[in-house]
Amino acid sequence: MAVNAAGSRLEEQWRDILGMHARTMCEIDRVLHPHGLGASDFEVLDILAAEAPAEGDLCRVQNLVGRVHLSQSALSRLIGRLEKDGLVERSVCLEDRRGVFVTLTRRGRDLHAEVLPLQRDVLERMLGG
């Protein structure tokens, strides 16, 4: 019986985590929507701003794969949309033609700076305790 009780507690904790994640992502989507972004779009912009802080700095797409909760193909499609919107630029690594770099454009940096306080406010409200 102890195993079942422990298992039930773990399952309840897991469902609480999933619920908090879902509510937080929905709230981030809601506040970013007027700016043309979703939560996953913001995550990519935010990671790029940290990984490539100066204008023109490059980040390998492969470095993003383990940091966002998207498959590699979904991440590639998302980067394609961000590129189409003028927020990022992609380039091929000259040393390794299979490698792809991505960088924030000036427009991407400006939009990230504009919406960063909105996303952080959601995190504070939802997770700040």
Side-chain angles (χ1 to χ4, degrees):
M1 288 297 170
V3 171
N4 287 341
S8 290
R9 280 193 303 277
L10 287 174
E11 189 172 326
E12 186 176 325
Q13 283 179 300
W14 176 241
R15 292 190 195 290
D16 288 346
I17 290 168
L18 290 176
M20 179 60 74
H21 177 266
R23 288 188 301 277
T24 303
M25 291 294 281
C26 286
E27 185 62 11
I28 291 170
D29 279 338
R30 186 187 70 74
V31 301
L32 296 182
H33 181 76
H35 301 274
L37 295 174
S40 294
D41 303 325
F42 176 83
E43 282 303 311
V44 170
L45 296 180
D46 199 42
I47 292 168
L48 286 173
E51 290 281 318
E55 195 161 335
D57 283 353
L58 301 173
C59 177
R60 286 183 78 99
V61 170
Q62 194 59 37
N63 293 351
L64 298 173
V65 170
R67 300 191 58 197
V68 294
H69 296 83
L70 298 171
S71 67
Q72 191 164 352
S73 61
L75 175 61
S76 183
R77 287 190 302 274
L78 187 148
I79 291 171
R81 284 193 313 274
L82 294 175
E83 185 175 37
K84 182 177 165 238
D85 292 342
L87 302 175
V88 303
E89 291 178 348
R90 285 189 277 197
S91 59
V92 175
C93 175
L94 296 177
E95 293 82 38
D96 174 6
R97 306 292 284 166
R98 295 170 297 168
V100 176
F101 289 111
V102 65
T103 188
L104 286 173
T105 62
R106 170 53 38 208
R107 182 172 177 212
R109 287 184 186 285
D110 291 346
L111 183 57
H112 175 261
E114 179 183 341
V115 300
L116 179 65
L118 302 174
Q119 189 261 6
R120 297 301 197 261
D121 180 60
V122 170
L123 294 182
E124 179 63 32
R125 282 188 287 116
M126 302 296 289
L127 307 174

